[in-house]
Amino acid sequence: MGPDFRQTMEVNNPEWVQDFLDASISYPSDQDKMRLAIVLARENVMRGTGGPFGAAVFEESTGALVSAGVNGVVRLGTGTAHAEVVAIMLAHGTVGCHTLRGVPGGPFTLASSCDPCAMCLGAVLWSGVSRLLCGASRDDASALGFDEGPVFEASYDYLKSRGVAVVRGLLRGEAQEVLRRYRDLGGPIYNG
Amino acid sequence: MGPDFRQTMEVNNPEWVQDFLDASISYPSDQDKMRLAIVLARENVMRGTGGPFGAAVFEESTGALVSAGVNGVVRLGTGTAHAEVVAIMLAHGTVGCHTLRGVPGGPFTLASSCDPCAMCLGAVLWSGVSRLLCGASRDDASALGFDEGPVFEASYDYLKSRGVAVVRGLLRGEAQEVLRRYRDLGGPIYNG
């Protein structure tokens, strides 16, 4: 018998996130959705539970919240635990399906406080959401030293060709402010 | 009080994977490493536990196995549970760090039975591995109807510029055979 390779990685949010989520509140507009993503990003910074990134999934027709995610790279101990990946995994768990496409309550929108990195942009495709909202830009994240990976204009074109509408630069100023705060507090640049 | 948003997504392998992993065996060559990834992909198909993809992480210097992953999209209920993501998350869990870069035992190699999709290519960057080995090609997966997402030659160039060496087409024939078997068995194309 060698060592045991039975392992599980548990992906979730820090406990405080619960206080910012309320299923009785609706987030009708794109700005409403993005504001929640940015609030989560800001709180993640201020509470020291992760990088300056937040995301959330909503029903488009009702504006109801489905799931949320904050960056958990250091807390969860895996470079894959970006806010978008966390929100997408938990959305799948909530609806009980590996894709949000064709699921009751859909179509769905993902709001992310920053342009997604290469991994998260791919995850958006497999998530089954129909819309992606982005706050801060790739350049804003890069200015802090975060690597966003191989994302090109053609990557966004690809999403659109697969039926995913993309809105970028939504409440960018507020989203940038979270990035600046993280830098000022000396937060770690784990993908430097 | 609204519904509870405390949730956890558990990422792991099916129980049978344990039978194919042995920490006392070394995988010195690239072919040895790829063969394990392909064996896992094949078994995943034959046992009906997921898509035709397998991956594993190894120490480069010793050839020791660190972690493995098989596609668990339908089993785990999330479109993000590709073989590479599972193997990378479990590797991080094993070494106890969010990146493999600079960790004792490194540098590390990831072998994947197929060219990574856009999400997994990004995840490879954040994994901290120094080498990526690929078996079947993007075209082989696309021929089955699997969407690989926005991956371009420039995406691989980006990995190389970040210090990740890439070897593609390793044991491609054996890897293709697994894809064909999946098709012949009528396995679901979940990212169609």
Side-chain angles (χ1 to χ4, degrees):
Chain A
M1 274 295 290
D4 199 331
F5 285 103
R6 284 181 197 84
Q7 300 156 274
T8 291
M9 170 64 70
E10 298 194 350
V11 178
N12 52 28
N13 285 308
E15 186 65 21
W16 63 259
V17 169
Q18 172 76 8
D19 300 336
F20 290 80
L21 310 181
D22 186 341
S24 68
I25 294 178
S26 175
Y27 302 81
S29 74
D30 285 354
Q31 281 76 8
D32 295 329
K33 295 178 177 71
M34 179 55 67
R35 204 160 279 125
L36 178 62
I38 294 173
V39 163
L40 294 172
R42 182 183 302 124
E43 285 295 319
N44 205 33
V45 172
M46 300 311 291
R47 292 168 187 257
T49 45
F53 305 104
V57 176
F58 306 87
E59 294 183 5
E60 276 181 31
S61 58
T62 66
L65 178 66
V66 177
S67 72
V70 294
N71 178 286
V73 165
V74 175
R75 182 179 57 86
L76 295 171
T78 173
T80 59
H82 289 195
E84 299 95 320
V85 165
V86 175
I88 290 168
M89 282 188 163
L90 298 186
H92 288 151
T94 296
V95 304
C97 187
H98 63 277
T99 176
L100 297 172
R101 197 171 291 262
V103 164
F108 298 90
T109 294
L110 172 72
S112 173
S113 66
C114 187
D115 281 347
C117 78
M119 173 184 71
C120 292
L121 189 139
V124 167
L125 265 175
W126 316 145
S127 72
V129 300
S130 298
R131 297 184 79 225
L132 168 66
L133 313 176
C134 312
S137 74
R138 173 189 179 88
D139 288 346
D140 297 335
S142 301
L144 250 74
F146 282 110
D147 189 349
E148 288 271 87
V151 176
F152 312 102
E153 276 308 309
S155 307
Y156 285 101
D157 294 341
Y158 197 102
L159 255 64
K160 290 168 200 165
S161 77
R162 291 299 187 274
V164 181
V166 181
V167 179
R168 294 168 73 186
L170 198 63
L171 304 182
R172 182 180 170 195
E174 297 177 35
Q176 283 176 313
E177 178 56 33
V178 176
L179 298 177
R180 275 194 292 266
R181 198 173 296 196
Y182 187 74
R183 183 199 56 204
D184 294 345
L185 289 170
I189 308 298
Y190 39 79
N191 289 339
Chain B
M1 273 296 290
D4 199 329
F5 285 102
R6 285 182 195 84
Q7 301 157 273
T8 292
M9 171 64 70
E10 298 194 348
V11 178
N12 52 29
N13 284 308
E15 186 64 22
W16 63 259
V17 168
Q18 173 76 9
D19 300 336
F20 289 80
L21 308 182
D22 187 341
S24 68
I25 294 177
S26 174
Y27 302 81
S29 74
D30 286 354
Q31 282 76 9
D32 294 329
K33 295 178 177 70
M34 179 55 66
R35 203 161 280 124
L36 178 61
I38 295 173
V39 163
L40 293 172
R42 182 184 301 122
E43 285 296 320
N44 206 32
V45 172
M46 301 311 290
R47 292 168 188 256
T49 45
F53 306 104
V57 175
F58 305 88
E59 294 183 5
E60 276 181 31
S61 58
T62 65
L65 178 66
V66 177
S67 72
V70 294
N71 179 284
V73 165
V74 175
R75 182 179 57 85
L76 295 172
T78 173
T80 59
H82 289 194
E84 298 95 322
V85 166
V86 175
I88 289 167
M89 282 187 164
L90 299 185
H92 288 152
T94 295
V95 304
C97 187
H98 63 277
T99 177
L100 298 172
R101 197 170 292 260
V103 163
F108 299 90
T109 295
L110 173 72
S112 173
S113 66
C114 187
D115 282 346
C117 79
M119 173 185 70
C120 293
L121 189 137
V124 167
L125 264 175
W126 316 146
S127 73
V129 300
S130 297
R131 297 183 78 222
L132 168 66
L133 313 176
C134 312
S137 74
R138 173 187 178 90
D139 289 346
D140 297 336
S142 301
L144 250 74
F146 281 109
D147 189 348
E148 288 269 86
V151 176
F152 312 103
E153 275 308 309
S155 308
Y156 285 101
D157 293 341
Y158 197 102
L159 255 65
K160 290 169 200 165
S161 77
R162 292 299 186 273
V164 181
V166 180
V167 178
R168 295 168 73 187
L170 198 63
L171 304 182
R172 183 180 170 194
E174 296 177 36
Q176 283 177 312
E177 177 58 32
V178 175
L179 297 177
R180 275 194 292 267
R181 199 175 295 197
Y182 187 75
R183 183 198 58 205
D184 294 347
L185 290 170
I189 308 298
Y190 39 80
N191 289 339

